[in-house]
Amino acid sequence: MNYEKKWVWITGASSGIGKQFALDYASIGANLVLSARNAVALNELKAILETQVKVIVQPLDLANHESLPKIVADTIRQCGNVQLLINCGGISQRALANETHIDVDKKLMAINYLGTIYLSKLLIPHFIKQNSGHFAVITSLVGKFGSPLRTSYAASKHALHGFFESLRAELHTNNIKVTLICPGYIRTNISVNALTGTGQQQNKMDNAQANGMSVEVFSKKAVKAINSGKKEVYIGGKEVLMVYFRRYIPSLYHKIIKTVNVT
Ligand SMILES: NC(=O)c1ccc[n+]([C@@H]2O[C@H](COP(=O)([O-])OP(=O)(O)OC[C@H]3O[C@@H](n4cnc5c(N)ncnc54)[C@H](OP(=O)(O)O)[C@@H]3O)[C@@H](O)[C@H]2O)c1
C-alpha cells in the first residue's frame, strides 16, 4: 500500500515508537493525525512535520472511553478518509500480581485493551463505507507469552490478539486489513512510564530497554510490515526466540521464563 497523501492516524504519537512512526510516515508523504494525552508534545511534532505533510493534532485519553465517539467523528470530518489507524498508545507494568492493586489492573486494561478496541470499533463503519482500511496494532511479545512483573500488561496485549485476529476474519470481505506488531525490547521510555503496584510511574529505565533495539530500526521494520499488509510480526533482539520456544518447545519456555531477568 502506498500511503502518500493518505491519512494515517497514530495513537501514542507524543513519544517513543508512535513519534517515530509519525516521522517515518511523513517521510513517505502520508498526512497525519497525531493522538496521545500530551497536546504540547503533539503540537511540537506537528510544527516539525507540517512543512512536509498535512498534520492534525487530536489529543485523546484512551482511558476516557466516553470521549472517543466525538473524537472519531471530528477526525473523519477533518480528514475525509482515514486509511490507516496505528494503535500504538499504551502503558506497561512493573509489579508482581500479588502486589498490584486491582485499580492498576483495571487501568492497564482500560487503556491498552478497551480504549484501543473502542477507538478501532468506532472507525469500522468509516472503513466499511470506503471499502478499505487498515488497523495496525502495537501489542508486545508478551502478547504471545506470559512474563513476570507484567501480568495485566501481558493480559491486555493477549486480549488485543484475540480481538483483532477475530476482527480480521470478520472484515476481510470489506477489504480491511489487520497487522499485529509485537515488539521485543525497544529503547523508549516505556519502562520509565510503567506502573508500579500502587499505580505510580516506575521512573526507572530497565536495562533490557536501555540495551534494546533503537526506535528508528524498529519503526522501519514495522512500517515495512504494515505497508506490505503482513498479518503478524515479531520485532526485537534474541527475546523474539521466546515466541517460538513457547509455541514449539514449551518446556524450554517454561524453564527460561522462571529465571529470566525481565527488568
Ligand atoms: N518499548 C518497548 O520495549 C515496547 C515493547 C513492547 C510493546 N511496546 C508497546 O509499544 C507502544 C508504544 O510504547 P513506547 O515504547 O513508545 O513507550 P512510550 O514512549 O512510553 O510511549 C507510550 C505512548 O502511549 C501514550 N499513552 C499512554 N497512556 C495513554 C492514554 N491513557 N491515552 C492515550 N495515549 C496514551 C503516551 O502518550 P501520553 O503520555 O502523551 O498520553 C505515549 O505517546 C505501547 O503500546 C507499548 O505497550 C513497547
Side-chain angles (χ1 to χ4, degrees):
M1 179 78 190
N2 179 359
Y3 284 102
E4 194 178 352
K5 294 195 166 48
K6 302 273 185 350
W7 282 98
V8 173
W9 187 354
I10 305 170
T11 71
S14 62
S15 74
I17 293 171
K19 182 176 180 182
Q20 189 62 42
F21 278 146
L23 295 166
D24 287 352
Y25 272 98
S27 77
I28 54 175
N31 296 322
L32 298 170
V33 183
L34 306 177
S35 289
R37 290 166 303 175
N38 186 339
V40 173
L42 295 177
N43 278 304
E44 282 170 9
L45 185 57
K46 178 183 177 184
I48 295 168
L49 297 178
E50 69 186 349
T51 54
Q52 302 171 57
V53 293
K54 292 182 196 162
V55 184
I56 294 169
V57 165
Q58 188 65 272
L60 61 79
D61 182 349
L62 287 166
N64 184 353
H65 303 151
E66 294 70 32
S67 68
L68 297 179
K70 193 166 167 290
I71 287 169
V72 171
D74 184 56
T75 302
I76 293 169
R77 188 184 52 74
Q78 289 194 63
C79 303
N81 293 79
V82 177
Q83 203 57 47
L84 167 65
L85 171 65
I86 306 183
N87 286 300
C88 188
I91 195 152
S92 196
Q93 173 189 17
R94 292 295 183 274
L96 297 169
N98 194 30
E99 294 169 3
T100 300
H101 194 280
I102 190 66
D103 288 347
V104 177
D105 298 300
K106 285 183 186 171
K107 187 170 180 181
L108 287 158
M109 289 306 284
I111 295 170
N112 294 352
Y113 178 66
L114 289 171
T116 296
I117 67 140
Y118 194 23
L119 190 70
S120 304
K121 276 160 67 80
L122 288 163
L123 212 52
I124 291 173
H126 175 69
F127 280 179
I128 289 178
K129 199 170 155 203
Q130 66 187 15
N131 197 36
S132 68
H134 194 155
F135 295 108
V137 194
I138 312 307
T139 68
S140 171
L141 291 184
V142 301
K144 302 301 290 182
F145 57 82
S147 187
L149 305 181
R150 290 155 173 77
T151 45
S152 280
Y153 177 69
S156 70
K157 297 295 188 174
H158 273 71
L160 288 173
H161 279 264
F163 181 89
F164 280 99
E165 209 165 273
S166 307
L167 189 72
R168 184 196 288 126
E170 287 183 3
L171 293 178
H172 72 100
T173 51
N174 302 97
N175 193 29
I176 296 168
K177 294 191 176 70
V178 172
T179 300
L180 287 153
I181 296 174
C182 311
Y185 297 125
I186 315 301
R187 213 176 310 134
T188 69
N189 276 338
I190 191 81
S191 61
V192 176
N193 296 328
L195 303 179
T196 64
T198 55
Q200 307 302 306
Q201 283 192 346
Q202 178 182 232
N203 270 326
K204 173 180 155 284
M205 175 70 81
D206 290 351
N207 285 335
Q209 252 74 38
N211 298 311
M213 179 181 276
S214 78
V215 78
E216 292 85 357
V217 170
F218 171 83
S219 175
K220 285 215 167 21
K221 289 174 187 277
V223 168
K224 199 170 159 202
I226 296 168
N227 293 1
S228 57
K230 285 255 160 51
K231 291 187 171 56
E232 184 166 304
V233 286
Y234 315 123
I235 305 174
K238 64 181 186 327
E239 66 276 12
V240 167
L241 286 173
M242 289 293 271
V243 176
Y244 300 102
F245 292 163
R246 178 71 185 82
R247 191 178 301 161
Y248 299 115
I249 327 174
S251 58
L252 182 59
Y253 154 78
H254 289 301
K255 196 172 165 189
I256 295 172
I257 203 69
K258 283 190 281 192
T259 58
V260 75
N261 180 1
V262 286
T263 62

